[in-house]
Amino acid sequence: MENAEGYTAAGINYVSYEIIGGKPGIEGLPASFGDASEVSTLVLHCADKPNKLKIDLYYSVFEDVDVITRFVTVTNEGSDFIFLKKLYSACLDMENKDFETITLHGSWARERHIENARVGHMKYTVESTRGESSHQDHPFLGVKSHGTTDDFGEVYAMNFVYSGNFKATVQEDQFDNVRMTMGINPDNFKWCLKPGEKFNAPEVVMVYSASGLGNMSRTFHDFYRKHLIRSPYLHKKRPILINNWEATYFDFNSEKLVSIARQAHELGIEMLVMDDGWFSNRFDDNRSLGDWWVNEDKLPGGLKPLVDKVNEIGMKFGIWFEPEMISPESELYKKHPDWAIAVLGREPAKSRNQFVLDLSRPEVVDYMYEQVAKILRSANIEYVKWDMNRQLTDLGSAYLPPERMGELSHRYVLGLYSMQERLLKEFPNLLLENCSGGGARFDAGELYYSPQIWCSDDTDAIERLSIQEGTSLVYPLSTMGAHVSDVPNHTVGRVTPFETRGHVALFGTFGYELDVTKISQEDRDMIRTQTEMYHRYNDLVREGDYYRIASYRQNGSFDMCGVVSKDKKEAVFVYVQVLAEANMHARRIRLKGLKEDLKYRVSNINESAGKAEVSDGASDAYAGGPGMLIGGDVLMNFGILLSRRMGDFKSSLIHITSAE
Ligand code: DGJ
């Protein structure tokens, strides 16, 4: 902090404590919740007396799911302003147990790949200064003792309930202790706290597991499903959607969309999502962001006739927006050039040909909210994909006074949250899916507003193995937007079987992103099978416990994960033979998460013929007829044998049901 005299000293001392039942919310920010039977909160009241600051540390202990969260508030009780320049939300000091980090990194189309590094005396940092949680780094940091696997060993992890600039660090000190921190990134952050004002630092979720990374993931999943995601869709099957982005890009009209809807409906798809390109002069990505009126050349008569037609066919309707952006070539920019984030006197950098709107400015937030709401009020729209396709640069606001300029990035995030909060208040039944050029804002902050987030623009089933593995390290499968798309894949050019694309997408929210009017009869038959498959397994995938069995990222050859129901009576696993190996008869796989003393039936399901072919998976492994019952102890300790299939990228589902 820096006080009015320019001093930067801080001395924060304990004053008193209280313990309150339940979990308080955090004004303006996403926050976990729970009642007094699930969570209690310790508040440490502290003070920096010379600066007349009251600092409260909130520790909430969620005994039901074994999680502790922390956030911090700072109140200026003096009569002069003070600048906050660095305020982390959590800090852990521990003895070093030969720790290695576990973090998530990537780029556009390659989000959240898992990485490890040794913890030593050099400071290890993961951070974003891009105005959002970002494709590149992720607001998650774990440290695990050397040798920790999915099933054994210790791990301490932090995850940030925030969607903007963050910084997480870990470092060993001179006495071999380890300090781990997480909070808003101090780079470009300077908050002017006037007398009587309070600043809330966002919440950090902390998990400890003594039984490996798998238990850590399941703890995060349970916590987010129970104590963070508010959507009425959380425990419901989401409608199977078809999005027209990869089918048409900007080149579509009502007639085309209706023909997609008609054919999709016949195959069991339930909602049409109209993506980018429906408004103003948006024929490409060079223009029109901010001009949110319907292009009637593309959609004659406007939106309502189209939505009504799609509803008549028996499909729901969803729409795409990018409310935080402004194109230099737009009516809005002509009227309000000062609404874009820019440094006075300097031309801001364009990215995807667009600028970012200054959401620190209340009139911009109000105006953009109204643009979105007006469209939603005009027809029966049941889903919104909220996109954000560039990161923040040229940090300057024509609205903020000089002493508040360092508040822009955080105020931007607060503006975003307030828009989404308003949206959910006015449209409580709206299914909101967040998105940011794929998965650049897949974070716990956004999960407070939307039960699902688009994971990545990369829909290739093989790249998705790594993206979904990294994402599911922290977030439940029910939150991961995943679609079956066409081949050759538009991002990597790879050709994978339709069956494999379906199996991989099944372990997310499930949907389609291709032109159903142009695909073969065989693929159409496969969609019919897959939509049935979704209805059969989605309750399990959405609500069950996640287990990782094998990682293609680690072994370079095959991948397997699965979900076991909470009562352990049913499980479904997806196995992907990424690369075929010569002279390999069968692969032995030990399953996880089952109950040792229950007897199970194992089915190995392949859908390559366009209809499900169920074979007895156990007969691969044992002499014994179909329908044979196998103990959970055998399945987990000896395992099952999966026969080799000819060719790369082959997959199967292993469905396990208890006989009792
Ligand atoms: C990025 C998203 O991730 C895509 O799915 C698509 O909506 C495009 N933006 C549209 O511009």
Side-chain angles (χ1 to χ4, degrees):
M1 54 186 80
E2 183 184 312
N3 68 14
E5 287 88 46
Y7 291 117
T8 55
I12 299 167
N13 293 307
Y14 169 80
V15 176
S16 64
Y17 81 94
E18 62 182 305
I19 293 176
I20 49 185
K23 168 69 204 317
I26 315 176
E27 206 192 324
L29 286 169
S32 65
F33 48 80
D35 63 31
S37 68
E38 300 160 326
V39 44
S40 54
T41 300
L42 165 69
V43 191
L44 297 184
H45 300 295
C46 305
D48 181 320
K49 288 206 174 126
N51 277 332
K52 299 194 176 56
L53 285 185
K54 180 172 181 277
I55 294 131
D56 289 330
L57 314 179
Y58 288 76
Y59 294 84
S60 293
V61 181
F62 291 80
E63 287 198 51
D64 60 336
V65 285
D66 204 10
V67 161
I68 299 178
T69 71
R70 198 178 101 156
F71 71 94
V72 181
T73 65
V74 182
T75 311
N76 184 350
E77 296 185 325
S79 51
D80 226 330
F81 69 86
I82 194 152
F83 288 116
L84 301 178
K85 293 168 74 178
K86 179 177 173 185
L87 175 60
Y88 288 151
S89 296
C91 172
L92 278 179
D93 291 289
M94 301 169 278
E95 177 195 336
N96 195 353
K97 297 178 179 169
D98 201 4
F99 282 137
E100 281 170 5
T101 60
I102 172 157
T103 49
L104 300 169
H105 305 270
S107 72
W108 173 76
R110 230 180 330 106
E111 294 89 341
R112 290 175 298 285
H113 284 216
I114 297 174
E115 274 184 30
N116 306 111
R118 191 170 170 271
V119 173
H121 293 107
M122 192 175 70
K123 189 175 270 180
Y124 187 91
T125 301
V126 266
E127 64 177 337
S128 165
T129 53
R130 296 166 185 266
E132 59 174 352
S133 41
S134 88
H135 300 98
Q136 290 77 7
D137 277 2
H138 195 73
F140 166 81
L141 173 63
V143 293
K144 56 186 181 107
S145 49
H146 183 70
T148 290
T149 65
D150 271 313
D151 309 300
F152 303 101
E154 285 187 288
V155 53
Y156 299 80
M158 289 182 175
N159 194 38
F160 206 18
V161 187
Y162 187 61
S163 310
N165 294 339
F166 70 90
K167 183 166 182 170
T169 66
V170 59
Q171 184 176 25
E172 185 175 18
D173 73 7
Q174 59 182 324
F175 303 113
D176 296 336
N177 292 318
V178 164
R179 169 165 289 181
M180 212 175 151
T181 64
M182 182 174 272
I184 290 181
N185 199 319
D187 261 21
N188 272 317
F189 173 78
K190 190 176 176 195
W191 192 274
C192 181
L193 202 63
K194 300 243 161 105
E197 285 181 351
K198 181 173 169 186
F199 182 84
N200 299 321
E203 187 172 24
V204 167
V205 179
M206 298 184 285
V207 171
Y208 166 73
S209 165
S211 46
L213 295 169
N215 182 51
M216 174 201 77
S217 300
R218 289 187 289 281
T219 304
F220 274 118
H221 296 184
D222 284 345
F223 180 72
Y224 290 139
R225 284 182 295 196
K226 204 162 170 201
H227 295 294
L228 185 75
I229 302 171
R230 301 173 294 172
S231 168
Y233 291 91
L234 173 64
H235 296 297
K236 288 194 187 136
K237 265 188 209 154
R238 321 284 155 76
I240 303 175
L241 67 81
I242 183 156
N243 179 304
N244 73 307
W245 180 241
E246 288 195 22
T248 65
Y249 293 103
F250 294 101
D251 184 16
F252 63 87
N253 56 24
S254 291
E255 203 186 322
K256 177 73 197 169
L257 294 176
V258 167
S259 71
I260 292 178
R262 198 167 273 124
Q263 302 223 13
H265 176 63
E266 278 173 23
L267 304 176
I269 297 172
E270 298 158 320
M271 177 161 73
L272 174 78
V273 175
M274 178 175 67
D275 210 279
D276 193 355
W278 55 267
F279 52 97
S280 184
N281 294 319
R282 187 80 170 165
F283 292 99
D284 55 33
D285 61 16
N286 282 303
R287 65 201 89 247
S288 298
L289 292 169
D291 297 345
W292 297 104
W293 52 83
V294 176
N295 179 318
E296 296 214 16
D297 290 336
K298 288 188 182 186
L299 313 183
L303 206 51
K304 192 163 177 352
L306 169 65
V307 179
D308 288 349
K309 185 85 215 155
V310 171
N311 287 168
E312 244 169 62
I313 291 171
M315 302 266 284
K316 294 176 188 296
F317 187 89
I319 197 168
W320 176 97
F321 280 103
E322 194 177 0
E324 302 158 60
M325 297 292 151
I326 181 165
S327 302
E329 245 185 76
S330 67
E331 295 301 314
L332 187 67
Y333 191 69
K334 271 188 217 143
K335 253 201 243 148
H336 296 292
D338 54 336
W339 280 12
I341 289 180
V343 175
L344 193 65
R346 293 174 192 268
E347 181 64 18
K350 284 185 213 152
S351 174
R352 208 196 189 202
N353 314 308
Q354 63 201 55
F355 297 146
V356 185
L357 279 165
D358 179 0
L359 299 190
S360 74
R361 200 171 180 140
E363 64 186 311
V364 173
V365 169
D366 290 345
Y367 179 84
M368 292 322 296
Y369 175 75
E370 237 348 271
Q371 298 310 299
V372 175
K374 197 174 64 193
I375 295 285
L376 296 186
R377 288 179 206 125
S378 74
N380 182 28
I381 299 171
E382 298 180 70
Y383 162 106
V384 163
K385 176 175 174 187
W386 181 302
D387 203 352
M388 184 226 191
N389 281 305
R390 68 155 287 181
Q391 303 177 321
L392 275 59
T393 61
D394 303 274
L395 294 176
S397 163
Y399 164 78
L400 292 173
E403 75 277 11
R404 291 211 177 272
M405 207 57 91
E407 301 176 10
L408 177 58
S409 298
H410 183 56
R411 284 190 183 273
Y412 179 89
V413 180
L414 296 179
L416 162 74
Y417 289 153
S418 90
M419 272 205 270
Q420 296 202 342
E421 188 67 37
R422 265 196 243 179
L423 196 68
L424 298 180
K425 274 219 172 78
E426 184 175 346
F427 306 97
N429 293 320
L430 185 74
L431 174 54
L432 181 63
E433 176 156 354
N434 267 290
C435 168
S436 177
R441 213 162 48 189
F442 197 121
D443 55 59
E446 288 289 62
L447 285 182
Y448 188 65
Y449 304 94
S450 59
Q452 60 195 57
I453 302 176
W454 183 228
C455 232
S456 176
D457 276 345
D458 198 327
T459 48
D460 168 58
I462 303 308
E463 171 55 36
R464 275 287 179 139
L465 296 176
S466 299
I467 295 173
Q468 295 183 190
E469 178 190 11
T471 307
S472 62
L473 189 72
V474 190
Y475 305 102
L477 304 187
S478 62
T479 64
M480 302 191 326
H483 298 168
V484 176
S485 63
D486 212 350
V487 290
N489 178 268
H490 292 197
T491 313
V492 295
R494 189 178 284 125
V495 177
T496 52
F498 209 102
E499 178 187 42
T500 305
R501 284 174 264 155
H503 285 164
V504 173
L506 184 71
F507 282 72
T509 56
F510 196 73
Y512 290 87
E513 184 128 358
L514 40 71
D515 189 346
V516 269
T517 66
K518 291 189 178 150
I519 59 176
S520 68
Q521 188 57 41
E522 199 186 333
D523 287 354
R524 292 167 57 79
D525 290 346
M526 190 61 98
I527 294 183
R528 215 173 267 119
T529 315
Q530 289 177 342
T531 52
E532 282 165 18
M533 174 181 85
Y534 168 81
H535 286 290
R536 196 163 343 114
Y537 297 118
N538 182 258
D539 287 346
L540 182 55
V541 169
R542 211 182 52 241
E543 308 289 342
D545 286 334
Y546 169 81
Y547 286 87
R548 175 140 295 276
I549 310 278
S551 161
Y552 165 59
R553 176 185 55 86
Q554 283 176 344
N555 63 34
S557 172
F558 68 103
D559 200 89
M560 189 165 177
C561 67
V563 179
V564 180
S565 64
K566 293 273 177 199
D567 65 7
K568 301 206 173 283
K569 291 194 166 168
E570 192 183 359
V572 61
F573 294 91
V574 58
Y575 169 77
V576 181
Q577 172 187 285
V578 181
L579 296 177
E581 284 174 44
N583 199 17
M584 195 267 287
H585 298 285
R587 176 164 277 131
R588 179 143 70 98
I589 304 275
R590 292 191 186 91
L591 300 180
K592 294 181 186 173
L594 304 173
K595 208 164 166 206
E596 298 209 328
D597 56 1
L598 272 188
K599 295 267 184 271
Y600 294 94
R601 277 199 178 85
V602 181
S603 319
N604 185 349
I605 304 169
N606 295 131
E607 284 124 20
S608 40
K611 59 181 175 24
E613 266 179 13
V614 181
S615 67
D616 179 9
S619 64
D620 277 342
Y622 309 101
M628 172 176 155
L629 291 176
I630 309 172
D633 49 357
V634 176
L635 293 172
M636 292 191 290
N637 294 311
F638 176 81
I640 56 171
L641 294 182
L642 293 174
S643 319
R644 180 182 75 130
R645 289 170 65 191
M646 288 297 279
D648 296 337
F649 316 134
K650 295 287 162 63
S651 69
S652 40
L653 285 186
I654 317 293
H655 185 218
I656 314 249
T657 44
S658 129
E660 286 150 53

